[in-house]
């Protein structure tokens, strides 16, 4: 580690210096914000050295680099994470205390960098941290959205969205690089000059780089997250301004900026909006121009590109990378088409994240050809070439079909490897999503089970448990997470179990206090904290959870003297603004909470809380305090999940279906430490064939009938008794996600949870075993596997 970090005295001096000379503030007048800035700059200074060293070494050793292209990076807060990885967390706390400042308050003053919707964006952030930890030379490429994911409030129990503006304050972690700018063309026409095609753009914008260093565990390596901001290529119109036409003078600037203004707030449905296509091309073209410039500065033969460049497409959002790379190689560098195709494919990998048909991007050829006329030609040529190469290709397979460009097929055909994100998902990608392409290209589809970084999700978020782990097995587990298995002998003893329970209790007390302040609901830290936090979506089945909660309430009221295990049901998550059914589920949860939380009969035996605006920072607060992890998606619908892994690491057993990475969690932790229920993916497909499946399931379940009856009667919406008639009708007659079919099994599994929790020693053993067996789910393991199987890169460390 560099000298800058050695002593508290040096850090203290640097904070004071930044406060004075960077912020221009005198200590007595400094606010929490000023102190946060001063500390952030002092910490950032300590990242710059390993960052330069990593970059220098990559150049000197002429190493292959990964370029991770993602429309989303759900980063969260940076300051505490950086201090953890630099080994300065406690030093920083001490230094700030010396200034009379509360470290926690400083940490919480930082806004989340919420440049993503959910799992996909958070995965990109975990991958950046693991690549830095392993010494995998890498750039993350994304968009510097001015407004990240919207803020969520509840009004009368309903979701209201307000804009998020993380950049309204200074962002101390980035370096603007106006010298690294690229012109991004759109629209216009293709001309043929001297037998070669040439695109004459109708509009252009500038992509300007903003670099954030990402430092790995123990500060041994740092990579760059390069986010592009859109700027106008034409200067503002001084003549118009002088004539007093101020709005018109600023028009080009406003138009260009639109491109990086907002994150699209929907992660599971796709709307064919032209601005979204432009954003995707903006990111991709800027990244590829940057990659080629870097490569050409030390190499001359572009056919060598795959030896030095691995480009990973995070979902199909940057799938335009295939044709754009071909265009740059052919039109701007004079390569032959066939060579360009082979070169591009040697570089490109594609990660599939979803089987949901409504989420697969398809662009109308009209829109695509209008925004990217040259790419339309290239896509058609790629499609023709692929058809010629594979004369067995069925007629219904192809990139351009029914006047649409299918981005999944495009990404598949242009990539040398296509990966799913859990064992089950990858099998379903082969079997259901791309069966024909899989036959034509056997071996191209592989699996890379997701992971999460244990530095943020365990070391930083759960200090009591991290300390217990270090006290028990010593240091060094943070980057060798399989070592958590060394806890197992200790778990056999009561002493360790009680210590594990005590660590969990510290987190639960802290969360109870926060819930009291934030939601105005008093919850007991001795209750079982049962947590479902994730985007609200029908396939994730928050509806199943709230229906079962009503059944529990009904059962307690019928027999309040029985030996109930007190529960706190915690929900968190945002709905896409246009997703009416998801918004109705949010409304129902809040309505049910209002009734149950004020019921004197059930009292502390059952509480429901739904803190608004779920984000990374809230996840860091909730997960370490959770007893039970709800992972109850309809089998076959959740590609992997990563929330499930965070809970496991933090010692919360899962109640879940055989879906996504739950399958592998169950395999690692053992059936005795997991509450499995519900139909399998195969059974789901079979059950759906019966058009009466939900009615039959409801008629067979007295508990579910009672629940639906209460909702239909308006028990939870007394001011508007018919509020949920539509919802109840859908459960009876259009239950695509099989809430009814899985209800009884879920209800019974919740009974098993109660039994297990009532036996304290048994429960603590289960919880601790979840932590001990979570090593496989470190994103370090995932990244090592990408390096071996897709990128062909050796770690520098
Ligand atoms: C981990 C995480 C997710 C993904 O959660 P899933 O349960 O896998 O859908 C979404 N949002 C945030 C803020 C997260 O931290």
């Amino acid at each position: 580690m560099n000298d800058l970090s050695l002593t508290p005295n040096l850090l203290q001096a640097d904070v004071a210096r930044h406060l004075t000379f960077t912020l221009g503030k005198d200590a007595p007048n400094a606010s929490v914000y000023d102190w946060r800035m001063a500390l952030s700059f002092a910490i950032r200074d300590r990242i710059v050295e390993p960052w330069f060293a990593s970059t220098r070494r990559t150049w000197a050793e002429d190493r292959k680099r990964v370029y991770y292209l993602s429309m989303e990076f759900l980063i969260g807060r940076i300051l505490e994470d950086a201090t953890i990885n630099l080994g300065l967390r406690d030093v920083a706390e001490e230094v700030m205390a010396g200034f009379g400042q509360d470290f926690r308050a400083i940490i919480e003053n930082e806004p989340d960098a919420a440049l993503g919707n959910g799992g996909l964006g958070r995965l990109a952030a975990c991958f950046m941290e693991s690549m830095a930890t392993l010494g995998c030379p890498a750039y993350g490429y994304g968009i510097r959205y001015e407004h990240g994911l919207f803020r969520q409030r509840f009004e009368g129990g309903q979701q209201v969205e307000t804009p998020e503006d993380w950049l309204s304050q200074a962002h101390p972690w980035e370096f603007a690089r106006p010298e690294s700018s690229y012109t991004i063309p759109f629209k216009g026409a293709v001309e043929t000059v001297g037998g070669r095609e040439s695109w004459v753009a109708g509009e252009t914008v500038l992509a300007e780089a903003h670099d954030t260093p990402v430092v790995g565990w123990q500060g041994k390596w740092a990579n760059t997250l390069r986010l592009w901001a859109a700027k106008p290529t034409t200067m503002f119109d001084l003549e118009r301004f002088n004539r007093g036409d101020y709005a018109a003078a600023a028009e080009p600037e406003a138009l260009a900026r639109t491109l990086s203004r907002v994150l699209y707030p929907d992660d599971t449905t796709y709307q064919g909006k032209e601005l979204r296509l432009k954003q995707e091309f903006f990111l991709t073209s800027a990244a590829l121009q940057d990659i080629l410039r870097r490569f050409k500065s030390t190499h001359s033969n572009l056919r060598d590109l795959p030896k030095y460049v691995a480009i990973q497409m995070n979902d199909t959002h940057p799938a335009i990378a295939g044709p754009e790379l071909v265009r740059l190689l052919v039109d701007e560098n004079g390569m032959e088409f066939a060579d360009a195709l082979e070169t591009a494919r040697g570089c490109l990998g594609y990660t599939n994240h979803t089987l949901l048909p409504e989420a697969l991007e398809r662009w109308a050829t009209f829109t695509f050809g209008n925004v990217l006329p040259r790419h339309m030609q290239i896509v058609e040529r790629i499609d023709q070439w692929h058809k010629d190469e594979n004369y067995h290709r069925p007629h219904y397979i192809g990139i351009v079909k029914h006047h649409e460009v299918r981005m999944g097929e495009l990404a598949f055909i242009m990539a040398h490897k296509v990966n799913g994100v859990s064992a089950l998902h990858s099998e379903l990608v082969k079997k259901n999503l791309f069966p024909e392409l899989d036959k034509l290209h056997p071996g191209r589809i592989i699996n890379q089970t997701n992971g999460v970084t244990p530095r943020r999700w365990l070391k930083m978020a759960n200090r009591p448990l991290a300390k217990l782990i270090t006290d028990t097995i010593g240091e060094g587990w943070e980057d060798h997470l399989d070592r958590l298995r060394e806890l197992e002998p200790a778990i056999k003893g009561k002493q360790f179990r009680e210590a594990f329970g005590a660590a969990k209790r510290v987190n639960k007390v802290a969360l109870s206090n926060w819930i009291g302040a934030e939601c105005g609901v008093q919850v007991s830290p001795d209750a079982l904290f049962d947590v479902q936090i994730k985007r609200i979506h029908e396939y994730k089945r928050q509806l199943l959870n709230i229906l079962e909660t009503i059944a529990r309430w009904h059962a307690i009221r019928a027999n309040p003297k029985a030996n109930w295990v007190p529960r706190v049901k915690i929900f968190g998550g945002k709905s896409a603004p246009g997703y009416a059914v998801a918004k109705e589920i949010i409304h129902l949860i809040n309505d049910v909470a209002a009734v149950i939380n004020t019921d004197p009969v059930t009292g502390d035996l059952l509480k429901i809380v739904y803190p608004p605006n779920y984000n990374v920072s809230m996840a860091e607060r909730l997960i370490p305090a959770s007893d039970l992890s709800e992972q109850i998606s309809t089998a076959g619908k959740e590609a992997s999940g990563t929330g499930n892994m965070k809970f496991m690491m933090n010692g919360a057993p899962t109640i879940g279906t055989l879906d996504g990475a739950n399958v592998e969690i169950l395999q690692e932790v053992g059936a005795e430490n997991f509450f499995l229920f519900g139909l399998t993916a195969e059974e789901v497909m079979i059950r759906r064939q019966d058009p009466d499946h939900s009615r039959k399931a409801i008629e067979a379940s007295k508990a579910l009938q009672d629940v639906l009856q209460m909702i239909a009667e308006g028990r939870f919406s007394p001011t508007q008794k018919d509020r949920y008639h539509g919802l109840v009708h859908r459960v009876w007659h259009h239950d695509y996600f099989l809430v009814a079919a899985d209800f009884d099994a879920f209800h019974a599994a919740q009974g098993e949870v109660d039994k297990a929790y009532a036996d304290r020693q048994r429960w603590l053993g289960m919880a601790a075993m979840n932590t001990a067996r979570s090593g496989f789910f470190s994103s370090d393991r995932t990244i090592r596997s990408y390096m071996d199987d897709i990128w062909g890169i050796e770690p520098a460390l």
Side-chain angles (χ1 to χ4, degrees):
M1 195 156 295
N2 54 59
D3 312 334
L4 280 172
S5 59
L6 285 181
T7 67
N9 288 346
L10 286 175
L11 185 64
Q12 184 183 40
D14 284 345
V15 172
R17 180 171 59 77
H18 277 299
L19 189 73
T20 309
F21 296 109
T22 310
L23 279 296
K25 279 285 170 102
D26 197 5
N29 303 320
S31 63
V32 180
Y33 168 84
D34 298 321
W35 285 111
R36 168 168 69 87
M37 285 293 157
L39 178 59
S40 299
F41 285 124
I43 294 295
R44 191 184 74 172
D45 289 347
R46 285 153 173 80
I47 299 176
V48 169
E49 254 188 55
W51 190 30
F52 287 177
S54 307
T55 309
R56 271 190 232 115
R57 212 178 124 192
T58 304
W59 283 104
E61 296 171 8
D62 200 16
R63 282 180 175 271
K64 188 169 184 177
R65 298 169 177 90
V66 177
Y67 296 103
Y68 197 83
L69 270 58
S70 180
M71 286 286 280
E72 304 190 9
F73 286 91
L74 187 49
I75 299 164
R77 292 178 177 138
I78 296 174
L79 174 56
E80 188 177 15
D81 190 57
T83 65
I84 291 269
N85 274 0
L86 292 171
L88 291 172
R89 161 69 179 70
D90 294 346
V91 173
E93 179 163 21
E94 192 188 314
V95 163
M96 297 320 288
F99 288 118
Q101 299 302 312
D102 175 28
F103 187 64
R104 223 39 268 157
I106 288 171
I107 293 305
E108 288 175 13
N109 179 259
E110 182 178 356
D112 271 40
L115 309 183
N117 276 287
L120 174 148
R122 184 53 234 174
L123 184 76
C126 282
F127 279 9
M128 288 304 296
E129 201 271 356
S130 274
M131 289 190 285
T133 291
L134 294 171
C136 172
Y139 281 78
Y141 280 120
I143 294 178
R144 185 177 179 272
Y145 301 107
E146 269 175 63
H147 303 285
L149 186 60
F150 66 85
R151 258 186 239 147
Q152 178 194 56
R153 283 187 297 120
F154 296 136
E155 266 176 31
Q158 292 183 277
Q159 170 173 299
V160 176
E161 303 96 26
T162 54
E164 183 279 347
D165 60 350
W166 69 304
L167 290 177
S168 65
Q169 299 179 337
H171 182 49
W173 300 102
E174 69 179 6
F175 296 89
R177 308 282 194 210
E179 74 280 14
S180 293
S181 298
Y182 298 94
T183 302
I184 312 298
F186 295 104
K187 304 203 168 178
V190 180
E191 291 178 0
T192 311
V193 185
R196 293 203 91 97
E197 267 72 34
S198 156
W199 178 18
V200 183
E203 337 169 329
T204 55
V205 299
L206 217 55
E208 185 185 274
H210 293 253
D211 289 350
T212 302
V214 178
V215 68
W217 173 239
Q218 293 183 322
K220 292 174 189 164
W221 191 270
N223 287 319
T224 304
L225 174 61
R226 174 161 278 194
L227 301 179
W228 303 102
K231 289 277 159 72
T233 41
T234 45
M235 290 288 280
F236 105 137
D237 195 331
L238 187 60
E239 202 195 320
R240 276 181 152 165
F241 187 87
N242 288 340
R243 270 193 268 123
D245 197 353
Y246 308 122
E251 226 168 65
E253 180 161 16
L255 265 177
R257 280 206 165 167
T258 309
L259 266 184
S260 55
R261 184 95 65 195
V262 286
L263 166 78
Y264 270 80
D266 195 343
D267 56 349
T268 43
T269 51
Y270 142 80
Q271 329 163 331
K273 291 261 165 54
E274 182 180 300
L275 178 62
R276 172 72 180 192
L277 179 60
K278 284 177 136 185
Q279 285 187 333
E280 293 179 352
F281 181 67
F282 172 77
L283 154 67
T284 305
S285 180
L288 290 175
Q289 292 186 54
D290 201 34
I291 292 166
L292 287 186
R293 177 204 45 85
R294 190 171 297 114
F295 177 82
K296 291 207 284 189
S297 71
T298 51
H299 294 270
S300 49
N301 187 358
L302 280 165
R303 293 295 309 269
D304 286 340
L305 207 61
K307 289 188 205 151
Y308 296 95
V309 169
I311 300 168
Q312 193 64 31
M313 299 182 280
N314 196 22
D315 214 316
T316 57
H317 314 150
I320 193 68
E324 172 65 353
L325 187 48
V326 169
R327 181 187 76 86
L328 291 169
L329 292 174
V330 172
D331 294 3
E332 314 227 321
N333 290 277
M335 198 185 275
E336 288 307 315
F337 178 79
D339 292 343
L341 210 89
E342 195 179 303
T343 303
R345 197 163 52 203
C347 297
L348 291 165
Y350 158 48
T351 304
N352 174 277
H353 283 272
T354 180
L355 304 165
L356 299 177
E358 65 271 29
L360 293 174
E361 290 183 298
R362 292 169 283 112
W363 295 101
T365 49
F366 175 80
T367 308
F368 194 94
N370 181 251
V371 175
L372 303 168
R374 177 62 179 138
H375 298 78
M376 192 64 239
Q377 292 180 338
I378 292 172
V379 165
E380 275 164 349
R381 194 154 166 202
I382 293 169
D383 206 14
Q384 187 60 46
W385 167 87
H386 185 260
K387 191 173 161 192
D388 296 344
E389 292 276 296
N390 302 278
Y391 51 90
H392 296 307
R393 191 175 101 171
H395 66 90
Y396 54 91
I397 297 303
I399 304 171
V400 185
K401 289 283 162 196
H402 309 298
H403 308 290
E404 285 183 327
V405 182
R406 302 173 173 178
M407 301 306 267
E409 278 77 359
L410 175 62
F412 190 112
I413 286 169
M414 287 305 299
H416 69 284
K417 284 284 185 294
V418 175
N419 75 282
V421 290
S422 72
L424 173 66
H425 170 66
S426 297
E427 280 314 303
L428 294 174
V429 169
K430 276 189 212 166
K431 224 175 80 187
N432 299 339
L433 196 60
F434 298 123
E436 299 87 357
L437 287 173
D438 180 45
K439 271 192 208 84
L440 293 175
H441 306 284
R444 188 176 295 185
I445 301 178
I446 60 171
N447 175 243
Q448 301 291 344
T449 299
N450 283 167
V452 301
T453 168
R455 274 74 63 182
R456 178 179 288 264
W457 293 108
L458 183 50
K459 182 84 174 173
M460 181 184 100
N462 197 340
R463 287 166 55 79
L465 180 54
K467 180 173 184 311
L468 176 63
I469 293 168
T470 303
D471 290 348
T472 310
I473 64 171
E475 295 185 340
W477 51 269
E478 295 91 340
D479 59 343
H480 293 89
L481 205 68
D482 287 327
R483 281 200 49 211
L484 292 180
R485 283 196 178 241
E486 293 169 24
L487 293 169
E488 285 183 34
I491 294 173
K492 295 194 173 77
K494 185 167 176 184
Q495 193 192 340
F496 178 84
R497 291 183 190 211
E498 287 299 339
F500 196 92
K504 179 67 76 181
R505 196 165 197 289
V506 169
N507 299 326
K508 289 176 72 175
V509 168
L511 182 61
S512 303
N513 294 335
W514 181 81
I515 287 172
E518 209 70 16
C519 310
V521 180
Q522 295 312 314
V523 300
S524 161
D526 295 318
L528 189 165
F529 284 12
D530 168 337
V531 183
Q532 186 174 25
I533 46 175
K534 48 184 75 245
R535 287 299 287 251
I536 309 298
H537 199 287
E538 287 166 279
Y539 85 79
K540 291 177 182 278
R541 296 201 294 192
Q542 283 91 358
L543 180 59
L544 175 61
N545 194 2
I546 194 65
L547 295 183
E548 201 280 332
T549 304
I550 296 171
R552 166 176 292 263
W553 179 64
H554 195 53
I556 300 175
R557 282 173 63 87
N559 192 4
K561 292 278 178 296
N563 212 0
W564 296 101
V565 173
R567 282 233 195 183
V568 179
K569 303 280 309 191
I570 302 175
F571 292 84
K574 297 173 183 175
S575 157
Y579 189 174
V581 174
K583 287 186 147 179
E584 193 176 29
I585 293 168
I586 292 176
H587 197 180
L588 177 64
I589 295 169
N590 283 321
D591 275 352
V592 171
V595 170
I596 292 183
N597 290 347
T598 52
D599 182 357
V601 179
T602 47
D604 261 355
L605 294 179
L606 187 58
K607 294 286 180 203
I608 303 174
V609 290
Y610 191 163
N613 202 38
Y614 175 60
N615 59 12
V616 170
S617 294
M618 194 190 291
E620 289 163 9
R621 194 188 289 281
L622 295 183
I623 293 170
S626 298
D627 292 310
L628 185 66
S629 165
E630 296 268 359
Q631 309 299 337
I632 61 176
S633 52
T634 312
K637 291 294 175 191
E638 187 73 88
S640 162
T642 49
N644 47 2
M645 302 169 186
K646 302 167 196 165
F647 280 100
M648 183 196 194
M649 251 175 224
N650 283 278
T654 302
I655 183 166
T657 49
L658 270 183
D659 200 15
N662 293 357
V663 176
E664 289 151 89
I665 289 177
L666 171 63
Q667 202 172 327
E668 293 290 311
V669 81
E672 68 281 16
N673 299 308
F674 189 109
F675 299 94
L676 181 66
F677 76 94
L679 300 174
T680 63
E682 212 162 54
E683 290 166 347
V684 163
M685 306 261 253
I686 296 166
R687 186 66 64 95
R688 273 210 196 103
Q689 316 255 300
D690 179 353
D692 260 355
H693 65 81
S694 54
R695 187 180 55 77
K696 288 176 185 163
I698 296 166
E699 283 172 356
S701 170
K702 175 75 169 67
L704 182 53
Q705 280 166 41
D706 289 349
V707 168
L708 293 174
Q709 180 75 26
M710 283 188 276
I711 299 172
E713 280 172 3
R715 278 289 281 280
F716 307 101
S717 53
T719 58
Q720 186 192 356
K721 292 197 182 292
D722 63 354
R723 182 174 292 162
Y724 297 110
H725 278 186
L727 184 146
V728 170
H729 179 86
R730 280 198 306 278
V731 177
W732 274 95
H733 303 290
H734 308 283
D735 182 20
Y736 183 76
F737 294 98
L738 293 118
V739 167
D742 270 344
F743 182 88
D744 277 351
F746 182 53
H747 197 43
Q750 287 287 17
E752 294 304 313
V753 171
D754 286 329
K755 265 191 231 154
Y757 194 80
D759 178 350
R760 181 172 166 82
Q761 287 308 310
R762 177 176 167 211
W763 185 269
L764 290 174
M766 291 180 76
M769 282 301 281
N770 269 270
T771 298
R773 297 280 179 88
S774 66
F776 181 73
F777 301 102
S778 165
S779 44
D780 297 348
R781 184 267 311 150
T782 314
I783 289 298
R784 270 198 205 93
S785 181
Y786 273 76
M787 291 171 80
D788 289 345
D789 303 346
I790 303 177
W791 302 334
I793 295 187
E794 291 290 320
L797 296 177

